[in-house]
């Protein structure tokens, strides 16, 4: 087990060793660069302004620790992200090994090692590890796995040690609740694990460990307080986000099927799928049928093949908060949501290989790990700059106006690329005419190339759509001042 853990750590660190210089990207800006609460550890638990870290105090605290180490230098943030991922892989190794040992499987350690290694090296994980602010997903994932690991250790312990492991289980769950909302399902899956692998029934599980489940259930109070404090994450999530729940739910059928495909063939990966909804179509119906079949198979397995059913439940229950009927207006699809559900696909593949090929499957798993290592290394190259990242998104999703806009913003900062940036801003506005930030940035770019009259029109349109754009007011004034016929307008 120790040698397997050492190989697991070394391989994961090597796979991400080239990502330490990846700059802050996209939501890293409001969550880290512009987040005043992380400047001092004493203010880290305050709720920051609208950002990914809002309502997630443990996440914000870890960002504050990194800021204390290296301020705006990215290396410490990436080191922490990688450490979180490595610890999560070790926790998964321990969970699978101890579960298979409980089932008296003779190959518990090599199977657990294979599952943890393939999961850790899978390129689908890059968004949760390389993109700094998506530490929200990986850190929550670590606490989720630790909650289950501590429960498993408690189930095999006696005396005071058992109490310590139970307390650690509840503590890890509490920290997870303060990291990301997806943690909400952890108490339910611990109970399902208990019923499946330890107690044999829900009734027996609740009778034998009533205090533990009361403690786990109490962590929902922390989550409720944090969720209410963010008011639907600033109106971007929940039933008040402006997105119809049924439209969002329809979109999740092709989204989940797409996630499943990426588990087995992780290409192409897309950083930002946008926020469009899938219209009713034959494809949605077919994808809904696939999900219905998988849900039915999971329900059947929970009764007839509980261990297999647990894997299916792990996939669907963890995905449910973000990939069901509760809208997330800013992203209807996101690869980081598969950080924990990926375990199901990897475990099924490895266990099936072991049943068919025996110990020879370890060689095949190592070959797959080498291929995944290469794919992860290559995917991390895409994150090298904003320009390379958004160019990749535009190539994959040309109809994503947010990607067109962000590519324009990245090109503006590069010498000699201003005209290309203008084209990207125009394309973003063609896709979405009421995009206030695109109007504003197009106006700024036009001012640089001497198009002052057109720039004025863009600034005015941006302010019509969003009167609170302070920079647009300033730049409009500057543009009007440069236009002799409109000097009086600049004064007003």
């Amino acid at each position: 087990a120790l040698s397997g853990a050492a190989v697991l750590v070394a391989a994961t660190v090597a796979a991400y060793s080239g990502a330490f210089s990846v700059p802050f990207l996209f939501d890293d800006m409001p969550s880290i660069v512009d987040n005043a609460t992380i400047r001092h550890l004493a203010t880290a638990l305050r709720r920051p302004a609208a950002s990914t870290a809002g309502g997630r105090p443990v996440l914000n605290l870890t960002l504050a620790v990194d800021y204390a180490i290296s301020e705006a230098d990215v290396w410490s943030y990436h080191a922490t992200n990688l450490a979180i991922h490595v610890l999560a892989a070790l926790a998964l190794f321990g969970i699978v090994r101890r579960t298979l040992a409980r089932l008296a499987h003779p190959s518990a350690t090599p199977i657990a090692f294979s599952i943890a290694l393939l999961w850790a090296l899978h390129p689908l994980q890059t968004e949760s590890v390389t993109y700094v602010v998506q530490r929200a997903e990986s850190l929550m994932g670590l606490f989720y796995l630790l909650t289950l690991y501590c429960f498993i250790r408690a189930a095999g312990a006696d005396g005071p040690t058992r109490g310590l492991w139970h307390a650690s289980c509840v503590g890890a769950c509490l920290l997870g609740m303060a990291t990301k909302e997806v943690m909400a399902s952890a108490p339910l899956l611990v109970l399902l694990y208990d019923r499946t692998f330890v107690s044999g029934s829900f009734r027996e599980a609740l009778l034998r460990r009533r205090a533990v489940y009361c403690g786990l259930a109490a962590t929902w109070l922390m989550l409720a307080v944090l969720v209410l404090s963010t008011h639907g994450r600033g109106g971007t999530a929940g039933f008040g986000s402006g997105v119809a729940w049924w439209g969002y739910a329809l979109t999740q059928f092709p989204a989940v099927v797409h996630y499943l495909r990426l588990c087995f063939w992780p290409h192409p990966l897309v950083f930002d799928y946008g926020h469009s909804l899938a219209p009713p179509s034959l494809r949605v119906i077919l994808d809904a049928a696939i999900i219905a079949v998988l849900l039915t198979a999971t329900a059947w397995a929970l009764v007839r093949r509980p261990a297999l059913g647990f894997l299916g439940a792990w996939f669907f229950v963890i995905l449910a908060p973000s990939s069901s009927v509760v809208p997330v207006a800013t992203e209807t699809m996101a690869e980081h949501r598969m950080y924990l559900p990926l375990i199901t696909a990897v475990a099924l593949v490895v266990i099936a290989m072991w049943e068919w090929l025996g110990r020879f499957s370890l060689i095949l798993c190592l070959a797959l790990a080498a291929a995944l290592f290469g794919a992860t290394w290559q995917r991390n190259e895409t994150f090298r700059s904003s320009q390379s990242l958004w160019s990749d998104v535009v190539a994959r999703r040309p109809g994503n106006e947010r990607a067109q806009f962000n590519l324009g913003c990245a090109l503006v900062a590069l010498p000699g690329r201003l005209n290309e940036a203008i084209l990207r801003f125009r394309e973003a506005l063609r896709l979405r005419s009421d995009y206030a930030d695109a109007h504003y940035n197009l106006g700024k770019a036009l001012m640089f190339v001497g198009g002052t009259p057109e720039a004025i029109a863009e600034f005015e349109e941006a302010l019509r759509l969003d009167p609170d754009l302070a920079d647009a007011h300033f730049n409009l004034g500057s543009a009007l001042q440069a236009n002799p016929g409109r000097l009086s307008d600049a004064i007003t």
Side-chain angles (χ1 to χ4, degrees):
L2 288 177
S3 59
V7 172
L8 177 59
V9 171
T12 307
V13 170
Y16 285 93
S17 61
F20 277 60
S21 60
V22 169
F24 293 127
L25 301 163
F26 197 37
D27 280 346
D28 289 338
M29 299 307 173
S31 299
I32 301 171
V33 178
D34 300 328
N35 183 359
T37 66
I38 69 170
R39 302 294 183 265
H40 305 282
L41 292 176
T43 62
L45 295 181
R46 296 180 186 175
R47 189 165 72 86
S51 70
T52 301
R56 297 165 177 174
V58 172
L59 168 64
N60 206 52
L61 179 60
T62 65
L63 296 174
V65 171
D66 286 329
Y67 186 86
I69 294 171
S70 66
E71 295 190 352
D73 197 341
V74 296
W75 71 266
S76 69
Y77 299 85
H78 288 297
T80 301
N81 275 26
L82 180 54
I84 289 167
H85 188 50
V86 167
L87 290 172
L90 290 173
L92 176 60
F93 180 34
I95 288 168
V96 178
R97 188 172 72 89
R98 289 178 179 276
T99 301
L100 292 176
R102 181 175 288 275
L103 298 174
H105 198 291
S107 302
T109 298
I111 291 176
F113 166 74
S114 299
I115 290 172
L117 182 67
L118 295 180
W119 177 81
L121 296 180
H122 201 291
L124 194 54
Q125 307 290 45
T126 51
E127 187 175 318
S128 300
V129 182
T130 306
Y131 178 29
V132 174
V133 81
Q134 273 313 327
R135 174 186 304 179
E137 195 75 32
S138 59
L139 184 59
M140 178 278 301
L142 171 60
F143 288 132
Y144 208 118
L145 292 168
L146 285 176
T147 299
L148 185 55
Y149 178 78
C150 291
F151 174 83
I152 293 170
R153 292 300 303 268
D158 295 312
T161 305
R162 175 181 294 179
L164 289 173
W165 282 115
H166 277 154
S168 299
C169 171
V170 175
C173 191
L174 184 67
L175 291 171
M177 296 291 182
T179 301
K180 193 171 184 180
E181 298 81 354
V182 178
M183 190 74 187
S185 60
L188 300 177
L189 280 177
V190 170
L191 177 60
L192 182 59
Y193 183 95
D194 192 352
R195 169 262 186 187
T196 303
F197 300 105
V198 183
S199 299
S201 71
F202 289 118
R203 182 176 181 276
E204 185 66 19
L206 291 170
L207 285 174
R208 291 171 61 182
R209 278 173 279 276
R210 186 178 305 162
V212 177
Y213 291 113
C214 285
L216 290 172
T219 64
W220 282 326
L221 296 175
M222 163 74 81
L223 180 61
V225 170
L226 293 172
V227 168
L228 291 173
S229 73
T230 64
H231 306 288
R233 302 206 60 75
T236 63
F239 297 109
S241 61
V243 175
W245 69 266
W246 58 268
Y248 187 82
L250 281 179
T251 303
Q252 297 317 299
F253 291 121
V256 173
V257 171
H258 180 67
Y259 298 154
L260 284 168
R261 185 189 67 78
L262 290 177
C263 292
F264 301 100
W265 188 256
H267 180 81
L269 296 175
V270 179
F271 176 72
D272 181 8
Y273 287 87
H275 49 77
S276 59
L277 299 176
S281 63
L282 178 60
R283 180 194 169 185
V284 171
I285 294 173
L286 292 174
D287 289 337
I290 293 172
I291 299 303
V293 169
L294 292 174
L295 282 169
T296 302
T298 297
W300 174 88
L302 283 170
V303 176
R304 299 298 182 89
R305 300 283 299 277
L308 187 62
F310 178 82
L311 283 176
W314 178 274
F315 180 87
F316 286 111
V317 170
I318 294 176
L319 268 182
S322 61
S323 303
S324 54
V325 298
V326 181
V328 180
T330 54
E331 49 182 8
T332 54
M333 294 175 61
E335 290 168 1
H336 62 258
R337 294 173 185 169
M338 283 296 292
Y339 187 76
L340 287 177
L342 177 63
I343 293 171
T344 293
V346 173
L348 288 173
V349 168
V350 171
I351 292 170
M353 286 169 50
W354 213 272
E355 291 298 317
W356 294 336
L357 302 175
R359 290 190 172 274
F360 177 75
S361 62
L362 180 60
I363 298 173
L364 185 55
C365 284
L366 291 174
L368 285 173
L372 293 175
F373 181 103
T376 291
W377 185 277
Q378 184 177 19
R379 178 59 180 166
N380 281 330
E381 291 298 307
T382 307
F383 287 83
R384 285 292 179 183
S385 68
S386 291
Q387 186 268 331
S388 63
L389 180 64
W390 291 111
S391 293
D392 182 74
V393 178
V394 166
R396 310 296 184 193
R397 289 288 191 278
N400 181 346
E401 74 277 4
R402 186 163 61 199
Q404 296 283 356
F405 168 76
N406 281 289
L407 178 55
C409 292
L411 292 170
V412 163
L414 301 177
R417 308 291 294 272
L418 196 55
N419 287 327
E420 292 179 63
I422 290 172
L423 291 176
R424 294 301 174 184
F425 292 139
R426 292 193 189 281
E427 179 62 13
L429 290 169
R430 186 189 69 79
L431 294 167
R432 179 184 155 198
S433 60
D434 65 343
Y435 202 159
D437 286 335
H439 281 291
Y440 166 64
N441 280 272
L442 176 57
K444 282 180 62 179
L446 289 169
M447 279 188 68
F448 280 113
V449 298
T452 303
E454 194 176 357
I456 291 172
E458 295 298 335
F459 289 141
E460 290 177 335
E461 181 63 12
L463 289 170
R464 184 188 70 80
L465 294 167
D466 186 358
D468 295 329
L469 277 175
D471 288 342
H473 283 285
F474 174 81
N475 282 284
L476 175 58
S478 299
L480 291 170
Q481 190 175 17
N483 190 328
R486 301 194 62 178
L487 187 57
S488 61
D489 292 334
I491 296 173
T492 58

